[in-house]
Amino acid sequence: MHKSLYVLVLSCLQCCGYARFILPRVPDVVHPPVPDHDEELFDPEESPGLFEGDMALTNEFYNYWRVGIRWDIFPNKLWINGTVPYVISPLYEPSDLVTIYKAIRIINFMTCVRFVPWNGKSKDYVLIWPIKYPKGCWSFVGRFGGAQIVSLQAPDHKGPNCLGTEGRAIHELMHALGVFHEQSRWDRDKFVKIHTDNIIPRFISNFDKQSLENTTYSFEYDFDSIMHYGKYFFSKKKGKPTITPKHADVKALGQRKSMSKGDCLKLNDLYGCLKNPRTRRKYYNICNFMGL
């Protein structure tokens, strides 16, 4: 890193309060490794070898997840008091840092969840880092314990990757908070059609849905969710949709711009923001006015 850039990054870190200690070292390669693939064919959110493309999970979740992790089953996966300490890699360019900070500020403003600079002491925290292998946009789901990676691949000569806008960062940070993909809901077949013939065979399982007994939802299906797959995710061939809406008035699926109204409500509900009489009206209003 150029000295001037390093000084600028350190200044940003000091402003956020965590440059008074040594930043953690993160390996370029995260184990276990995942299968290699043709980089030209894949969106950085579709990393092969991870659950549904961009989620690092353990088997304990498969039978219990819903719109978000069931805290009654896995209370240890909840971020205590809705507070998430974080560290951002100094390897990012200043413009990429701005994009990541915007994502954090949006979540902090629209919900009662609080991402706060790591104080060097908290045992559990998020490391936002451009991991080289498996590279791409991916995250663990819920509080995993210790230093927890959120991989956000920086822009390169091929494109913006995870940081063209703050939307990709919001998507992965929501995974880290315990939120899963929208199209995996048990009731999704009422709203979307899965075109299995167009899906790369080894990724068909990424389109599995959960049974009603394992999933409960307080909100309607959200076509505009930042957590929803796009029409061509894991497609065999360009232009071949893998998932399409069944409602004629719905023209697009998913987006990576910002939280939808539904995303905002779900995240606030997951962390109890809507149960508190003092904050319920505030967050309902924010979600209604600021959600896409």
Side-chain angles (χ1 to χ4, degrees):
M1 182 183 295
H2 295 298
K3 182 177 181 181
S4 59
L5 176 57
Y6 186 72
V7 170
L8 178 57
V9 172
L10 280 181
S11 297
C12 293
L13 296 176
Q14 288 170 343
C15 288
C16 291
Y18 58 71
R20 60 182 178 273
F21 51 84
I22 299 174
L23 286 171
R25 294 180 63 84
V26 175
D28 290 336
V29 179
V30 175
H31 294 285
V34 298
D36 203 356
H37 62 276
D38 185 347
E39 295 181 4
E40 297 296 332
L41 298 179
F42 285 87
D43 183 288
E45 198 179 304
E46 301 173 39
S47 302
L50 299 179
F51 186 70
E52 295 191 9
D54 68 331
M55 294 185 288
L57 292 179
T58 56
N59 289 333
E60 64 180 341
F61 292 125
Y62 289 177
N63 292 325
Y64 296 103
W65 63 274
R66 45 182 174 175
V67 69
I69 293 176
R70 287 186 59 178
W71 305 136
D72 58 328
I73 303 295
F74 300 108
N76 59 313
K77 301 302 178 184
L78 175 71
W79 288 93
I80 307 302
N81 297 321
T83 301
V84 187
Y86 69 89
V87 171
I88 301 177
S89 170
L91 300 176
Y92 288 113
E93 296 290 338
S95 58
D96 301 329
L97 286 173
V98 170
T99 300
I100 295 169
Y101 284 129
K102 284 176 67 177
I104 288 172
R105 290 185 64 185
I106 287 171
I107 294 176
N108 282 359
F109 180 77
M110 293 182 70
T111 76
C112 65
V113 173
R114 290 294 174 264
F115 282 85
V116 299
W118 185 51
N119 60 12
K121 299 177 181 178
S122 300
K123 175 181 176 292
D124 301 330
Y125 58 97
V126 163
L127 270 172
I128 301 172
W129 218 270
I131 296 297
K132 291 185 179 179
Y133 193 86
K135 65 182 178 180
C137 318
W138 59 266
S139 173
F140 289 92
V141 181
R143 182 166 62 96
F144 194 76
Q148 173 174 331
I149 297 290
V150 171
S151 176
L152 295 177
Q153 184 180 349
D156 57 26
H157 67 283
K158 296 178 182 179
N161 293 318
C162 311
L163 296 173
T165 67
E166 61 272 17
R168 297 272 191 181
I170 291 173
H171 178 101
E172 300 306 336
L173 290 173
M174 286 185 68
H175 278 322
L177 289 168
V179 183
F180 291 85
H181 288 134
E182 182 73 5
Q183 77 286 336
S184 295
R185 290 169 51 139
W186 72 272
D187 59 350
R188 65 99 184 276
D189 291 335
K190 299 177 184 178
F191 306 96
V192 296
K193 178 178 176 58
I194 306 300
H195 302 273
T196 54
D197 290 345
N198 293 340
I199 301 171
I200 298 171
R202 67 183 183 275
F203 299 130
I204 287 178
S205 63
N206 287 357
F207 292 81
D208 288 348
K209 63 179 180 178
Q210 294 300 298
S211 66
L212 177 58
E213 64 182 354
N214 293 331
T215 54
T216 57
Y217 301 94
S218 302
F219 305 98
E220 63 185 17
Y221 194 90
D222 188 1
F223 295 102
D224 296 324
S225 173
I226 200 170
M227 307 307 290
H228 202 299
Y229 275 2
K231 290 176 65 175
Y232 303 101
F233 273 41
F234 301 99
S235 178
K236 286 180 178 177
K237 188 176 181 181
K238 187 176 181 180
K240 294 285 187 180
T242 55
I243 181 170
T244 53
K246 288 186 174 181
H247 293 205
D249 58 333
V250 177
K251 303 303 180 184
L253 289 176
Q255 45 79 28
R256 296 298 181 266
K257 295 177 182 177
S258 191
M259 282 191 285
S260 67
K261 173 184 174 181
D263 294 325
C264 180
L265 288 172
K266 289 169 193 170
L267 190 53
N268 276 300
D269 183 60
L270 193 61
Y271 277 85
C273 319
L274 305 181
K275 294 179 181 178
N276 186 334
R278 294 180 299 174
T279 60
R280 183 188 303 119
R281 181 184 297 274
K282 170 186 176 181
Y283 289 112
Y284 264 114
N285 287 339
I286 288 176
C287 292
N288 283 326
F289 285 106
M290 293 195 62
L292 298 182

